[in-house]
Amino acid sequence: MDFGVLGPLAVWQAGVPLNLGTPKGQVLLAVLLCRLGRPVAGDALAEAIWGAEQPKSAVKNVQTYVHRLRQHLGDSERITRKGSGYLLRVGRDELDAARFEDLAGVARATLAAGDLDQARRHFDKALKLWRGPAFDGLADVPSLASEAARLDELRLGVLEERIDVDLRLGRHSELLGELTALTLEHPFRERMWAQFMLALYRCGRRADALLAYLQVRDLLAEQTGMEPGQTLRDLHQTILGEDPALAPAVAADAREPQNAGGARMLPPALGDFTGQRGELTEIAAVLGKDRAADEPAAVVTISGPGGIGKTALVVQAAHRLRSTYPDGQLFATLAGTRAQPVDPAAVLGRFLRALGVPATAMPDDPEERTDLYRGMLDERRILIVLDDALDEEQVAPLMPASGTCGVIVTGRVRLGGVGGAHRVELGAMSEADSLAMLRNIAGNQLTTATSSDLADLVRLCARLPLALRIVGSLLLSRPHWHPTDLLSRLADEQHRLDALRYRDLEVRASFGLSYTGLRPEARRLFRLLGLLEAPDFPLWAAAATLDTELSPAQELLDELVDVHLLDVTGAPNGQARYGFHDLIRTYAKERAEMEEPVEVRHAAVVRVLSALLALADIADRDHMGQNMFQRDAVRWQPDRVRASLPRSVPPMALLDSERLALVAGVRQAAELARDELCWELAVGGHALFETERYFDDWQECYDTAMPLAKDARNLRGQARLLISMAGLRYTRRQYRQAEESNTEAMRLFERISDRRGYLEALSNAPFFLVPNGHLTEAIAAGFEAYERLNAAGQVAAALHAYSQVGLAHLQAGRPEVAVEVLSEIVAGARQQGILTLIARDTYWLGQAHLALGHHAQAEETFTELTAYAGDIGSSGVFYTAHAWGCFQLARGEYADARRRLLDGVAVARAMHDPMFETRALVDLLDPRLYGRHELPVAIGQGEHAVEVARGIDYPYLLAGVLEGVAGLKAAAGDDEAADHLFAEAAAVRAKIH
């Protein structure tokens, strides 16, 4: 008998479909198939059939439907009673969904063995089992919806895997139709878009592959506000670079026939032109198409910062397009970055003379010149190149009216007002192209340079074409120089721009052209932002830099972005971030040091760091329910900082975007000898570092701030930093060292009579006492901290301390007391909105219910945990996996329990958290989870768990692991080893008091 759920529900006997009876009977069969190999309670079946409005006779009616279903199946043994539920006996080879998963597994194994053809056949065989959406017609039944969604998602994943195999087999041309339809049907599946782009590229359709990327990028931006993922972005860059690994089609012969006659005004192309292959392809795709005279002219605008290679690119592109525009190429430099940009009327005069208009026939009136110019271009195939444009007004009179012409315009500003233009923005070249450019220019002068030397030269030039050309020219013109001589000059950031100069080529002067064209306030913002060591920054940082409102700061940022002195580096969490090209940052800092007094420079940096402190406060309050300790450093305009934040994004996620800025800010505060600012920034990252496990950043902030606090004899700062260090050591599961740091902090707080700080340290004490096995002491300390912090109005801190009282009672074998304490904590955490505490203590509350055998209450509690766990990072993922694993273990659902517990171990290992790993392993060592033949593997895993547990010195967990391994040894018949381990576990437990 065959059962089908991959499409409409169906059953076949010897290939003949069976009548399955009424719709309600079909729902019953579908739910039983959904729980393959597991009994389904009668209540659950009734709920699936009737929903919330069940008839009074629902249980009896279920029995009737089961009886009728047996009759339809013709086999009374197919459905058996199991306790209060029913079990449908179906083998994996009888259910299409199970066969589908098994075939996919076989395909993957075959693929791993290197047999592409056989893997493709297995994937195809699996996909052919599908007759439509899973549980088609029944997927709106709540108890079936999740399984239907899971199966449909599996199908798409297997389909993507099969397409990957087809691509490896060279079947890219056969895939185009299928992938075209799939990307339309599933527009948000980035893997399918990547496959589509690769297939297009391998079919020689590079431009279409790039357009496909632009299509999915725009779709994602419009629908989700996000950029494509890293895989798509990397593929896009690889296609732009025509990486041979992509096996591209053979390029067409680049040689173009020479054409006599016509206006030829192009400068010569550079013989050592390198890189920008993707941009050249993009320009050719737009300008290489035939257009009728009555169509708009094809226009490409190219923008980018000074020195990025705009002119070299357009000249190269124009030469390659000569055969497409046989009637001539017109070229003009518009000097948009100069003090006196070129008058369009003067350019029209040059163009008209090149087109054959004698001086005596040249109109004086600018509008008449434009009319004559457009008339002469009508139906002629001419390419117009306008380099270094000031704005749209300057280029408007020079635009042709005939679609037979093409136009390329470059400028440092984005010419968004040029209607219908295809826009190209240039960024830094790839490292490979930068190295190639350097070799093309300097040639034999690089033969003595190591690959490391060359990489350093490229890095110090920030992959800017102008800087690379200067470096290559310097080496070529000074044969007595070794590349390391130039490296030593470039390594000094203060004089780097001095070194990047060769005759009329100068990086500083190139940037200066953009800088001098700015309004005074934009120039001031530019140079002050250059003082920040953060890699990028949001709007509020710019406002703090100038000590101004958000709106004028935004206008100035936009002005800097328009002329490419700043880049928009991304918009994570819906908040635009801005950053400098490395050499432009050097130039900005240089301008600040030349034009701003030292006190003004320092004040600007301090304001930005003070604004970062305000953000840390906001994130801390949102995450913890309140700011946990007294803060002394000034905050810059917290209301403005808050007003700049997207409301839909948790503040802690926004602080995460500032992680590198926070670490850099601690360093800058130390350099400025601002001890209060320095330690508060270091401590302000505590919750973020703990939640996201940024241990190296956490340690670096402490190591930077503590020496300054000691030099300044700032005892409060030292104490706060010691509390933070205690948190780091606790999170790294170094419990004894954590207790030492916390105790030292308490002594310092007592010394300066800081009652609030002392209470905070006191509230931390139970967190270290519990793992060290001092449960009675932890209960006393936690209760004392709870009482005193509550009295001081520090409700959040009080609840955090009290949570360890609940855990101590649970580990001491008093789950009923733990339930009372933890219930009180969770209720208080809900009132305070403390997400971390809600998630963590619902986890422990559920464990306490399980210890009492209260399965229904545990399930309810773990369901609440699942709702909150996603808000607290990877710890929440572990809590969820481990909690449900323990629940299923208690219910006797051993296969599911083992899978969930293994998930918990995997998450803990990914987090590099030995305590979490040990906690999951304790339950994973239950002998009921293994068949006798699996015991040796389980014992091996247990012995590993013992080593992990010994490393963290957590007696309660060590005892649990020892007992688990002992149980496995006993189940394997090794009673002597089991007795030895049980005795060791008892000795460890004796130390817990």
Side-chain angles (χ1 to χ4, degrees):
M1 190 173 290
D2 295 304
F3 295 81
V5 298
L6 303 182
L9 181 69
V11 182
W12 299 270
Q13 178 70 52
V16 178
L18 300 182
N19 176 18
L20 299 178
T22 65
K24 288 186 172 60
Q26 293 180 35
V27 170
L28 184 143
L29 173 60
V31 173
L32 291 173
L33 286 170
C34 187
R35 310 285 177 83
L36 185 64
R38 293 176 292 165
V40 183
D43 291 345
L45 289 170
E47 184 178 352
I49 294 170
W50 289 284
E53 299 180 0
Q54 299 177 25
K56 292 182 180 180
S57 57
V59 174
K60 192 169 186 64
N61 289 350
V62 167
Q63 294 173 353
T64 302
Y65 284 123
V66 170
H67 174 70
R68 289 177 183 171
L69 187 54
R70 287 177 179 142
Q71 291 179 323
H72 287 303
L73 297 177
D75 184 353
S76 60
E77 299 301 317
R78 276 286 178 181
I79 306 176
T80 59
R81 191 69 183 252
K82 199 81 170 177
S84 61
Y86 297 90
L87 174 66
L88 174 64
R89 300 185 184 278
V90 174
R92 291 188 66 82
D93 60 335
E94 294 181 296
L95 179 62
D96 60 358
R99 292 205 307 277
F100 167 73
E101 294 190 54
D102 293 344
L103 279 168
V106 172
R108 294 184 188 107
T110 308
L111 182 61
D115 191 339
L116 294 177
D117 288 315
Q118 191 67 8
R120 205 264 182 207
R121 281 192 285 273
H122 284 305
F123 278 132
D124 195 48
K125 191 174 179 180
L127 291 165
K128 284 180 178 177
L129 292 172
W130 285 77
R131 298 167 289 111
F135 294 100
D136 195 8
L138 298 175
D140 57 343
V141 176
S143 55
L144 298 175
S146 61
E147 178 65 5
R150 184 185 76 86
L151 289 170
D152 287 333
E153 179 61 29
L154 280 178
R155 181 185 72 82
L156 290 173
V158 169
L159 178 58
E160 289 170 334
E161 290 178 274
R162 195 223 77 210
I163 292 171
D164 276 341
V165 174
D166 279 336
L167 285 168
R168 291 174 64 180
L169 287 168
R171 297 179 174 178
H172 36 270
S173 60
E174 302 168 32
L175 289 170
L176 287 182
E178 181 180 13
L179 284 168
T180 299
L182 286 172
T183 50
L184 287 172
E185 185 179 355
H186 306 286
F188 299 112
R189 293 189 77 89
E190 295 191 22
R191 187 176 178 184
M192 286 181 176
W193 280 101
Q195 292 168 331
F196 187 32
M197 289 166 62
L198 185 56
L200 286 166
Y201 182 81
R202 288 182 176 173
C203 289
R205 295 169 59 180
R206 291 176 297 169
D208 288 336
L210 294 170
L211 289 173
Y213 175 79
L214 297 176
Q215 183 180 352
V216 66
R217 185 192 67 183
D218 292 346
L219 174 73
L220 290 172
E222 180 180 347
Q223 297 294 326
T224 70
M226 296 187 300
E227 287 287 312
Q230 192 64 48
T231 300
L232 266 183
R233 297 201 305 272
D234 289 346
L235 178 59
H236 178 237
Q237 290 300 315
T238 308
I239 290 174
L240 286 174
E242 298 185 68
D243 193 323
L246 297 179
V250 177
D253 189 347
R255 292 174 299 172
E256 299 173 354
Q258 298 299 309
N259 186 288
R264 306 290 183 194
M265 300 179 68
L266 289 179
L270 292 172
D272 52 18
F273 181 86
T274 308
Q276 297 174 333
R277 292 183 293 274
E279 288 83 355
L280 284 170
T281 301
E282 198 174 339
I283 294 167
V286 177
L287 297 175
K289 297 177 181 177
D290 288 338
R291 293 181 181 233
D294 59 355
E295 293 184 78
V299 181
V300 174
T301 63
I302 300 174
S303 61
I308 205 68
K310 298 182 293 297
T311 302
L313 171 64
V314 297
V315 170
Q316 190 78 10
H319 277 285
R320 293 190 180 190
L321 288 164
R322 287 179 66 173
S323 63
T324 306
Y325 296 93
D327 296 328
Q329 298 84 40
L330 302 175
F331 181 92
T333 298
L334 302 183
T337 53
R338 304 289 175 178
Q340 291 295 325
V342 175
D343 187 340
V347 177
L348 285 168
R350 288 184 56 230
F351 282 178
L352 288 169
R353 285 192 294 274
L355 292 168
V357 177
T360 55
M362 188 73 63
D364 292 327
D365 181 72
E367 292 186 11
E368 290 180 9
R369 287 191 180 188
T370 298
D371 292 340
L372 177 60
Y373 165 72
R374 288 174 177 161
M376 295 196 69
L377 294 180
D378 191 36
E379 297 192 2
R380 296 176 72 177
R381 299 190 62 77
I382 290 180
L383 179 66
I384 299 101
V385 181
L386 306 173
D387 191 37
D388 192 19
L390 172 65
D391 54 24
E392 294 86 346
E393 185 178 357
Q394 187 187 28
V395 302
L398 305 172
M399 300 298 285
S402 175
T404 58
C405 295
V407 183
I408 310 177
V409 187
T410 78
R412 298 193 184 188
V413 297
R414 292 174 173 85
L415 299 171
V418 178
H422 179 85
R423 292 170 179 82
V424 175
E425 288 202 26
L426 292 189
M429 290 200 303
S430 68
E431 183 173 0
D433 284 343
S434 299
L435 285 168
M437 181 177 181
L438 202 53
R439 288 192 177 99
N440 286 346
I441 299 170
N444 293 334
Q445 284 299 101
L446 299 178
T447 54
T448 59
T450 67
S451 57
S452 177
D453 291 338
L454 294 178
D456 285 343
L457 280 174
V458 166
R459 176 179 56 81
L460 292 171
C461 289
R463 294 181 282 132
L464 186 76
L466 174 60
L468 291 165
R469 182 162 297 282
I470 290 170
V471 165
S473 300
L474 286 169
L475 290 172
L476 196 62
S477 64
R478 293 164 172 76
H480 57 286
W481 278 17
H482 187 274
T484 53
D485 296 326
L486 193 49
L487 273 175
S488 64
R489 289 171 167 82
L490 294 173
D492 181 1
E493 183 180 6
Q494 189 173 358
H495 297 101
R496 186 173 302 158
L497 296 180
D498 294 329
L500 290 172
R501 180 172 55 197
Y502 175 75
R503 296 183 183 170
D504 61 339
L505 298 177
E506 185 179 357
V507 168
R508 179 187 286 113
S510 177
F511 296 157
L513 291 173
S514 296
Y515 176 72
T516 55
L518 297 170
R519 290 182 294 158
E521 275 301 286
R523 289 201 297 271
R524 184 164 182 264
L525 176 62
F526 170 75
R527 57 184 180 257
L528 291 178
L529 285 174
L531 299 170
L532 304 180
E533 292 184 7
D536 54 16
F537 41 83
L539 169 61
W540 57 257
T545 301
L546 294 180
D547 197 16
T548 189
E549 300 284 347
L550 296 173
S551 180
Q554 183 65 70
E555 289 182 12
L556 295 172
L557 282 173
D558 290 341
E559 184 173 347
L560 295 175
V561 169
D562 281 343
V563 296
H564 288 89
L565 286 176
L566 269 185
D567 295 322
V568 178
T569 60
N573 302 314
Q575 184 181 47
R577 299 191 66 79
Y578 304 87
F580 287 103
H581 182 280
D582 286 350
L583 289 177
I584 295 179
R585 182 194 300 275
T586 301
Y587 177 75
K589 186 176 181 181
E590 179 182 276
R591 299 308 309 180
E593 291 171 349
M594 291 174 60
E595 299 182 43
E596 301 285 357
V598 64
E599 61 273 13
V600 172
R601 301 200 302 268
H602 289 180
V605 172
V606 167
R607 279 195 302 274
V608 175
L609 299 185
S610 300
L612 184 54
L613 272 181
L615 176 61
D617 286 350
I618 293 166
D620 191 34
R621 178 172 289 277
D622 180 76
H623 193 69
M624 306 297 291
Q626 63 188 56
N627 295 128
M628 300 294 286
F629 55 82
Q630 179 180 340
R631 299 174 184 248
D632 300 326
V634 173
R635 270 66 174 153
W636 181 84
Q637 301 293 341
D639 289 343
R640 289 185 202 171
V641 174
R642 183 182 290 279
S644 74
L645 307 179
R647 295 185 180 181
S648 59
V649 181
M652 190 58 71
L654 297 172
L655 185 62
D656 195 7
S657 299
E658 306 298 335
R659 175 174 65 91
L660 297 179
L662 185 63
V663 177
V666 172
R667 288 195 302 268
Q668 279 201 277
E671 290 165 3
L672 295 174
R674 301 281 185 138
D675 54 295
E676 289 289 347
L677 185 59
C678 185
W679 76 254
E680 289 207 27
L681 280 169
V683 172
H686 183 130
L688 171 66
F689 297 153
E690 180 179 35
T691 301
E692 299 300 331
R693 313 186 80 75
Y694 296 135
F695 295 157
D696 292 343
D697 293 332
W698 200 344
Q699 185 73 54
E700 181 180 345
C701 287
Y702 173 86
D703 291 343
T704 303
M706 181 57 90
L708 180 62
K710 288 181 176 179
D711 288 345
R713 299 182 180 179
N714 189 326
L715 298 184
R716 187 198 303 280
Q718 293 175 51
R720 292 292 175 200
L721 288 164
L722 282 166
I723 287 180
S724 183
M725 177 50 57
L728 173 57
R729 288 172 168 171
Y730 175 83
T731 310
R732 280 180 162 164
R733 309 316 179 192
Q734 300 167 345
Y735 299 115
R736 290 181 182 175
Q737 298 97 316
E739 187 173 359
E740 290 170 3
S741 294
N742 195 66
T743 302
E744 176 63 20
M746 292 176 73
R747 282 198 289 266
L748 287 175
F749 283 130
E750 277 190 306
R751 182 175 166 185
I752 61 175
S753 301
D754 186 334
R755 179 171 173 272
R756 182 173 176 178
Y758 178 84
L759 285 177
E760 184 193 349
L762 178 65
S763 74
N764 288 336
F767 286 86
F768 315 126
L769 293 167
V770 168
N772 286 332
H774 305 147
L775 301 183
T776 303
E777 210 177 324
I779 291 169
F783 190 76
E784 179 189 357
Y786 177 69
E787 293 279 306
R788 294 177 65 175
L789 285 164
N790 253 337
Q794 299 298 301
V795 180
L799 289 170
H800 277 281
Y802 200 36
S803 69
Q804 295 305 291
V805 174
L807 177 57
H809 279 299
L810 181 59
Q811 293 190 358
R814 295 186 289 273
E816 67 285 351
V817 180
V819 165
E820 292 179 13
V821 174
L822 292 167
S823 296
E824 185 179 347
I825 294 165
V826 170
R830 284 198 205 101
Q831 286 183 342
Q832 296 292 316
I834 312 173
L835 301 180
T836 304
L837 197 54
I838 296 172
R840 188 183 69 207
D841 281 47
T842 50
Y843 164 76
W844 284 121
L845 179 58
Q847 297 286 7
H849 281 308
L850 282 183
L852 291 168
H854 299 161
H855 292 179
Q857 293 93 322
E859 184 173 20
E860 181 181 346
T861 304
F862 288 155
T863 300
E864 181 179 2
L865 161 66
T866 304
Y868 282 96
D871 294 324
I872 65 165
S874 48
S875 297
V877 179
F878 171 80
Y879 290 148
T880 304
H882 185 230
W884 287 114
C886 293
F887 176 75
Q888 287 161 335
L889 178 61
R891 288 268 296 263
E893 299 168 358
Y894 299 128
D896 288 337
R898 182 171 165 179
R899 177 175 58 82
R900 287 279 200 167
L901 292 170
L902 284 169
D903 287 345
V905 171
V907 172
R909 287 174 179 168
M911 296 168 64
H912 305 290
D913 192 322
M915 190 272 285
F916 276 178
E917 181 181 354
T918 308
R919 191 182 293 172
L921 287 170
V922 167
D923 297 292
L924 196 57
L925 298 178
D926 192 309
R928 295 173 296 175
L929 297 175
Y930 305 97
R932 187 167 184 81
H933 67 285
E934 296 177 301
L935 287 175
V937 174
I939 289 170
Q941 184 169 255
E943 289 169 346
H944 164 74
V946 171
E947 294 304 312
V948 175
R950 292 191 198 282
I952 60 173
D953 194 26
Y954 196 139
Y956 179 82
L957 292 179
L958 176 60
V961 169
L962 290 168
E963 289 163 352
V965 180
L968 291 170
K969 294 272 190 182
D974 191 349
D975 293 335
E976 182 179 351
D979 290 343
H980 175 76
L981 289 167
F982 277 129
E984 184 181 355
V988 172
R989 287 204 182 277
K991 297 177 183 177
I992 302 172
H993 52 81

